[in-house]
Amino acid sequence: MLQIAICDDVVEQTLKLQKYICDYCEGNHAEYKLHIYTSGEELVSDAEKFDIIFLDIEMPGLDGIETGREIRAKNCKCRIIMATVMVERMKEAFFIEAFRFIVKPFEKSEVEEALDACMKRVLGSGNISLYCDRIEYVIHQSEIRYVVTYDSYCEYRVKDKVLRSEDSLKKLEKTLDGRLFFRINRKYIVNMAQIKRYKNGVLHMGDVEILVSRRRKKEFEQAFMEFDLKYR
């Protein structure tokens, strides 16, 4: 689930931005939780949990630049989107590695573009259409635990459901986020974020044990180690 924060001391602007973010997430079937703050001091205390932060530059007390510096010290992975009416202050935001800038009053298209850019950086944020009993489910890739591939279709373990698609293995490997998914043998593609334990060529995903093929073992262990270092 995406954790998104807005920090702005102007109520009218916050309400407009809140609506644009909610419309975007719901329109893209994104699971999210939106948190509202009116001061930098409040936001900094929770900074570690956020994926995306919309941060106003001009605020009393800790302004957006100082708030951003403190956020960066606690959470180097979140995407900070700076909001301002003073375009000349944008240069200052480079020092806190701001991901995007949006100008007040907010335009819906500009907010959506910033969210689009953020979503491309979030692991497994892409949607995939899967089916069960001819009912379509739009699923975030991050929700998929693993995929079992067959000659003409694929089965997906998603929480307590088994869903299906008729995608070929070749197409599936192009569709799934390569930073998150790895093909460990001829049949299985696994979500590395959902591996509970791995040892000696056997990985555990909930109550399921899956063998990594000898041919793929070394490559998988390297990819899994890099995933742990970069994304855990």
Side-chain angles (χ1 to χ4, degrees):
M1 178 179 289
L2 280 173
Q3 298 289 340
I4 305 173
I6 298 173
C7 186
D8 196 321
D9 62 316
V10 180
V11 174
E12 293 81 5
Q13 294 293 332
T14 300
L15 291 173
K16 180 182 284 190
L17 183 55
Q18 181 179 3
K19 182 180 187 307
Y20 291 161
I21 293 170
C22 291
D23 287 349
Y24 175 90
C25 289
E26 289 163 15
N28 286 275
H29 305 282
E31 286 190 51
Y32 72 103
K33 188 169 184 179
L34 185 58
H35 307 256
I36 308 296
Y37 297 86
T38 56
S39 74
E41 290 86 350
E42 289 178 317
L43 174 60
V44 166
S45 65
D46 291 337
E48 294 175 358
K49 69 183 181 183
F50 293 118
D51 301 298
I52 301 170
I53 296 174
F54 287 84
L55 182 58
D56 185 29
I57 290 184
E58 295 85 29
M59 294 188 295
L62 273 185
D63 73 359
I65 301 300
E66 290 301 319
T67 300
R69 286 197 180 100
E70 295 200 24
I71 290 168
R72 274 283 166 256
K74 291 185 170 188
N75 183 347
C76 63
K77 294 180 180 179
C78 74
R79 311 294 172 190
I80 298 176
I81 300 169
M82 302 300 298
T84 183
V85 293
M86 301 173 64
V87 178
E88 60 271 19
R89 292 207 67 187
M90 287 183 178
K91 290 182 180 179
E92 299 175 60
F94 284 105
F95 295 104
I96 60 167
E97 300 176 31
F99 183 69
R100 278 289 190 281
F101 303 92
I102 53 177
V103 178
K104 292 181 174 182
F106 298 123
E107 295 288 339
K108 187 173 185 178
S109 60
E110 194 172 20
V111 174
E112 289 176 344
E113 189 279 331
L115 285 167
D116 272 339
C118 286
M119 292 294 280
K120 288 175 183 176
R121 300 293 185 94
V122 176
L123 288 178
S125 61
N127 294 334
I128 185 168
S129 291
L130 305 175
Y131 297 85
C132 180
D133 297 329
R134 299 185 180 180
I135 298 172
E136 181 182 15
Y137 295 82
V138 179
I139 300 296
H140 271 260
Q141 292 186 18
S142 60
E143 297 179 77
I144 299 168
R145 186 181 300 170
Y146 58 84
V147 185
V148 187
T149 63
Y150 298 93
D151 289 338
S152 59
Y153 68 96
C154 298
E155 286 186 348
Y156 302 72
R157 175 68 61 165
V158 181
K159 298 179 181 176
D160 60 342
K161 290 185 173 66
V162 176
L163 304 177
R164 179 171 168 160
S165 78
E166 295 184 1
D167 292 332
S168 67
L169 178 58
K170 188 175 181 180
K171 180 180 178 182
L172 185 59
E173 287 186 302
K174 290 181 179 179
T175 301
L176 294 176
D177 188 335
R179 299 168 299 171
L180 186 61
F181 290 91
F182 192 91
R183 184 182 175 191
I184 59 167
N185 58 39
R186 292 178 65 186
K187 290 185 69 71
Y188 281 84
I189 298 173
V190 301
N191 180 341
M192 290 186 284
Q194 298 205 29
I195 295 173
K196 301 301 181 185
R197 189 168 72 256
Y198 172 75
K199 187 176 181 180
N200 298 330
V202 180
L203 55 84
H204 299 259
M205 309 193 75
D207 58 350
V208 177
E209 291 185 359
I210 308 174
L211 295 177
V212 180
S213 71
R214 289 183 182 179
R215 187 172 65 85
R216 305 233 68 190
K217 184 172 181 287
K218 185 176 180 180
E219 189 180 351
F220 166 72
E221 289 175 349
Q222 179 66 31
F224 192 42
M225 181 177 68
E226 290 177 3
F227 175 82
D228 262 343
L229 290 172
K230 290 181 180 178
Y231 304 116
R232 290 287 188 186

